[in-house]
Amino acid sequence: MKILTLDELDTKGKTVFLRVDMNSPMDPKTMQILETSRIRESTESLKDLEDSKVVIASHQGRVGNKDYTGMENHAKVLAQVLGRDIKYVEDVIGSEAQREIKNMKNGDILLLDNLRLCAEENYEFTPDNASKTIMVSRLSKLFDLCVIDSFPSSHRAHPSIIGFSHILPACAGRLVEREVRRLDEIMTVAKSPHVVVLGGSKINDRLEAIETLIQNGRADQVLLTGVIANVFMRAQGRIRFPLGIKQEEEVVSKAHSLIGEYPDVFSLPVDIAIERDGSRVEMDVRELGKGDQILDLGPKTVDYYIKSINGAGTVFMSGPAGFFENEKFKFGTESLLRGVADSFATTIVSGGHLTAALKRYGLADKINHISTAGGALVLYLTGVKLPMIQSLEEAAERYRSKK
Ligand code: 3PG
C-alpha cells in the first residue's frame, strides 16, 4: 500500500490524534443516536493504541441540519462498546480541550466535541492552508502523530482530514486500511456491466459523482431510488409538484441535463408506494397527488431493477430504496438487497442504513464488500483520488524518504 498503516509507525507512549467518522443517523426529536455501526467501526484502531494517549475527534451532522449536535451521546455509546471509561470534553480547540490533552496518561482516551463547532472545519482547503488553520496549528503542537480513520469523509478536504497529516507523521487507521485494500482488490477484478443502484439524500454530492462514474466507465446502468429518483422524475415531468428539497431548481435542472446527455443509462421508478389512512398504497408515478410522500418502490419497478442486477458483472448499491425502518415500506430495500445478495456479480453495498438493513435481513455474509462510507465511496469508485488518501500518500512519501 502507498499509505502507511499502524504497523509502520511507533505509537507507544505517543499522544495521537485519531480522526474517525462517527457521523450517525439521529432522532431529530430526542437527539438519540439511531444507528451505532459507525461508532463501533471507529474503535478498530484502538487495540493498536492501547499504550498511547488517544484523542478521538469526529464531526456529527452539518451546521443547520437536524442531525447537527454535540458528541456527548457518542461518548456514551463509545464507552459501552469498549466497556471502559471515555473522557469527553465539550470543546475542540479551546483551553479546556488543550488542558485535558496535556493531562492525559498512557492508555487514556479523550473524545473531543463535534469538530464542526469550529467554523474552519466546514470549509475545504488545500493541504498547506488546512495545516495553517487555527485548529491544526493549535492542536498539532500537542500531538506526536495522527491516525486518519474516517473513510466515510475521505472526500472532504477539511482541516482535521488533511491538515494534521500534512505536518505530522500520519498513517491510516485500521478501518481506512481495510476499506482501501478491499476496494482496490475488488476494482481490479470488477467486470462490466457495472450496475449502480443509487439512493441517498445528499443530492448535490450524488449528482456530481454520478457523472464521473459514468464517464469513467464505472456505471453502465444507474437504477435510481429514494429522493434522488424523485428529483429525476421531476426533471422528466412525471412528478408535477415541488418536492420541497434544498436547492430544488438547481438539482432538478442538473438531473435534466444528465438524462439528456446519457439517455440510456438511467432507470427510474414506474410505480411507487405511499401511505393513506395508515396503509400502504401502490400506484403508478403519474397518479401521485400533491402532498403524497413517496415511501417505497412498487413491485413493477423492483422486478425491472432486479432483472438489471441479474445481468450485471459488478453491482454497487448505496442508499435505501424507501423508508425501510417501517415494515410497510421495507419491500423495495429488502427485495433489492436480496437481489444483490443472490446475484453472481461482484457486489459492494455502502452506507450505515443499508449496512443495518443487510444485518436485519441476514444477508451481510452474501455481499463481497460492505463499506461504512456513502458519498465518499461513490467518489472513490470513480477512480478520482480523494483528498484524505492523497494526503496520507504524501505523508507516507515524506516518512519513507526520511528513513
Ligand atoms: C457521510 O456521512 O457521508 C460523512 O460523514 C460525510 O458527511 P458530510 O457529507 O456532512 O461531509
Side-chain angles (χ1 to χ4, degrees):
M1 280 180 106
K2 281 194 193 158
I3 54 183
L4 297 174
T5 70
L6 274 160
D7 299 320
E8 287 151 282
L9 288 189
D10 178 13
T11 57
K12 208 166 170 197
K14 303 275 166 62
T15 307
V16 177
F17 174 74
L18 174 61
R19 174 47 157 120
V20 296
D21 189 332
M22 298 203 261
N23 186 22
S24 307
M26 307 292 291
D27 182 326
K29 290 199 189 93
T30 62
M31 277 306 179
Q32 290 303 310
I33 299 164
L34 294 172
E35 212 277 306
T36 56
S37 60
R38 283 221 180 142
I39 304 181
R40 287 169 200 285
E41 267 143 4
S42 294
T43 61
E44 273 191 53
S45 299
L46 291 173
K47 275 188 238 70
D48 296 270
L49 297 169
E50 271 168 3
D51 295 323
S52 314
K53 298 157 206 148
V54 186
V55 179
I56 305 183
S58 171
H59 68 282
Q60 168 61 53
R62 289 183 187 176
V63 180
N65 283 4
K66 287 191 184 130
D67 59 352
Y68 180 62
T69 180
M71 305 301 285
E72 198 171 358
N73 286 332
H74 300 67
K76 287 183 191 148
V77 177
L78 198 57
Q80 270 167 15
V81 172
L82 294 169
R84 53 167 294 181
D85 283 346
I86 299 291
K87 184 122 198 179
Y88 166 63
V89 59
E90 252 184 38
D91 187 15
V92 179
I93 57 168
S95 48
E96 218 184 317
Q98 294 187 40
R99 192 171 47 244
E100 291 293 349
I101 298 171
K102 284 179 194 153
N103 287 339
M104 288 174 84
K105 299 188 186 60
N106 278 345
D108 284 353
I109 299 177
L110 172 72
L111 176 64
L112 299 179
D113 210 343
N114 189 342
L115 287 166
R116 290 183 180 174
L117 287 173
C118 286
E120 292 166 338
E121 186 69 4
N122 298 284
Y123 296 93
E124 305 232 316
F125 295 91
T126 61
D128 197 39
N129 286 343
S131 71
K132 289 178 183 145
T133 54
I134 294 178
M135 174 193 285
V136 177
S137 28
R138 267 194 201 161
L139 290 186
S140 57
K141 293 192 189 92
L142 308 176
F143 301 132
D144 299 302
L145 56 103
C146 65
V147 177
I148 307 296
D149 212 13
S150 54
F151 189 68
S153 27
S154 45
H155 53 324
R156 306 287 181 222
H158 294 161
S160 69
I161 295 169
I162 61 163
F164 291 104
S165 45
H166 190 65
I167 50 173
L168 290 174
C171 72
R174 293 298 182 200
L175 174 69
V176 168
E177 179 189 346
R178 183 163 56 78
E179 291 261 18
V180 168
R181 226 186 263 285
R182 190 75 192 108
L183 286 166
D184 289 354
E185 272 165 19
I186 289 181
M187 292 325 282
T188 46
V189 295
K191 290 197 183 67
S192 293
H194 293 80
V195 172
V196 177
V197 189
L198 198 68
S201 51
K202 292 175 183 167
I203 310 296
N204 264 324
D205 284 2
R206 291 285 198 265
L207 288 173
E208 264 175 48
I210 289 177
E211 189 157 23
T212 323
L213 272 176
I214 300 171
Q215 286 164 349
N216 295 4
R218 295 295 195 196
D220 300 302
Q221 252 191 303
V222 180
L223 316 177
L224 294 171
T225 68
V227 183
I228 189 151
N230 303 347
V231 169
F232 276 72
M233 288 191 284
R234 181 127 197 261
Q236 280 182 326
R238 285 199 295 143
I239 293 183
R240 289 180 296 272
F241 49 85
L243 303 165
I245 57 169
K246 280 187 188 160
Q247 299 171 292
E248 182 154 340
E249 290 320 311
E250 191 188 311
V251 292
V252 168
S253 134
K254 175 79 184 150
H256 191 264
S257 12
L258 282 171
I259 304 175
E261 205 161 330
Y262 308 100
D264 302 327
V265 170
F266 294 100
S267 295
L268 289 158
V270 285
D271 57 346
I272 43 81
I274 62 161
E275 187 167 42
R276 275 226 180 114
D277 302 324
S279 303
R280 175 183 173 103
V281 176
E282 286 168 3
M283 60 176 68
D284 187 283
V285 173
R286 273 171 298 214
E287 291 169 61
L288 266 176
K290 194 166 179 198
D292 283 337
Q293 202 192 346
I294 303 177
L295 296 169
D296 198 6
L297 299 175
K300 286 188 208 144
T301 308
V302 168
D303 271 3
Y304 172 61
Y305 280 11
I306 287 183
K307 280 197 188 93
S308 295
I309 290 169
N310 285 339
T314 309
V315 182
F316 166 50
M317 178 165 174
S318 177
F323 182 30
F324 76 98
E325 291 87 347
N326 181 326
E327 280 292 299
K328 282 183 290 212
F329 303 107
K330 66 172 192 169
F331 169 75
T333 304
E334 181 173 358
S335 310
L336 292 182
L337 282 175
R338 286 196 186 282
V340 174
D342 291 341
S343 84
F344 292 108
T346 302
T347 51
I348 304 171
V349 171
S350 98
H353 287 100
L354 287 187
T355 307
L358 281 171
K359 285 187 189 143
R360 192 178 295 180
Y361 310 138
L363 299 170
D365 291 347
K366 297 174 89 182
I367 304 295
N368 292 103
H369 182 62
I370 302 174
S371 174
T372 46
L377 183 61
V378 187
L379 278 167
Y380 192 88
L381 295 179
T382 63
V384 168
K385 182 87 66 194
L386 302 185
M388 186 187 84
I389 307 289
Q390 176 79 38
S391 173
L392 284 172
E393 285 185 6
E394 283 165 15
E397 259 173 51
R398 281 196 309 273
Y399 177 83
R400 289 183 179 126
S401 68
K402 275 192 204 144
K403 276 198 117 186

